[in-house]
Amino acid sequence: MAQVTVTIDGKSYRMACDEGQEDHLINLAQRFDRYITHLKDSFGEIGDHRLAVMAGIMVMDELVELQKKSRGMEGEINTLRKTRDEAVNQAGRNDSAVTGVLSDLAVRMENLADKLAGKPQNDA
């Protein structure tokens, strides 16, 4: 287990994390420190615990908004998938119809060619 020291509101905290996650943990602490700094600038010295709770609530609020957006995007993705699947099915039906028409046309052309050449006609 790796250990890093992070600084939040000018105070150092030694923390443990998985190997290779040190930079990620430092980045998270720096982002959280920005929340604390913003709140401190807005409200002044209101106590470490209160600042931490307020910052935590702000982070949770952002998380909830992102989750809402994510669910909305999942719904849009499902709609797009359904639309794509319907389009693929329609394209398959169109391909079958075109193939049938072309096949009939080929038979008619062969019959016409045979007729013009004076041969007996195929009724395939």
Side-chain angles (χ1 to χ4, degrees):
M1 188 117 327
Q3 291 198 356
V4 295
T5 300
V6 298
T7 303
I8 298 173
D9 193 26
K11 297 172 189 75
S12 295
Y13 299 92
R14 189 156 184 80
M15 307 193 88
C17 63
D18 290 335
E19 294 290 334
Q21 293 296 309
E22 299 88 350
D23 289 340
H24 181 64
L25 180 56
I26 290 168
N27 182 298
L28 292 173
Q30 289 170 342
R31 292 175 67 184
F32 189 73
D33 185 53
R34 286 193 291 273
Y35 281 96
I36 296 292
T37 301
H38 168 73
L39 289 169
K40 213 171 183 181
D41 291 345
S42 298
F43 300 106
E45 290 291 336
I46 58 173
D48 291 346
H49 293 293
R50 191 168 177 195
L51 282 172
V53 168
M54 290 173 72
I57 289 171
M58 288 175 68
V59 169
M60 292 306 299
D61 182 50
E62 287 185 15
L63 175 62
V64 167
E65 289 303 315
L66 289 172
Q67 288 172 330
K68 286 179 187 176
K69 286 180 183 177
S70 175
R71 282 192 295 272
M73 288 178 169
E74 287 172 359
E76 288 179 31
I77 288 170
N78 288 335
T79 300
L80 290 171
R81 283 182 178 150
K82 183 179 177 185
T83 302
R84 177 206 57 205
D85 292 345
E86 290 170 357
V88 166
N89 288 336
Q90 184 61 43
R93 288 191 295 272
N94 290 347
D95 286 350
S96 294
V98 168
T99 301
V101 168
L102 289 175
S103 178
D104 290 345
L105 183 59
V107 168
R108 289 174 64 193
M109 290 174 69
E110 286 176 10
N111 287 340
L112 182 59
D114 288 346
K115 186 176 183 180
L116 291 173
K119 295 182 183 176
Q121 295 183 13
N122 283 336
D123 289 329

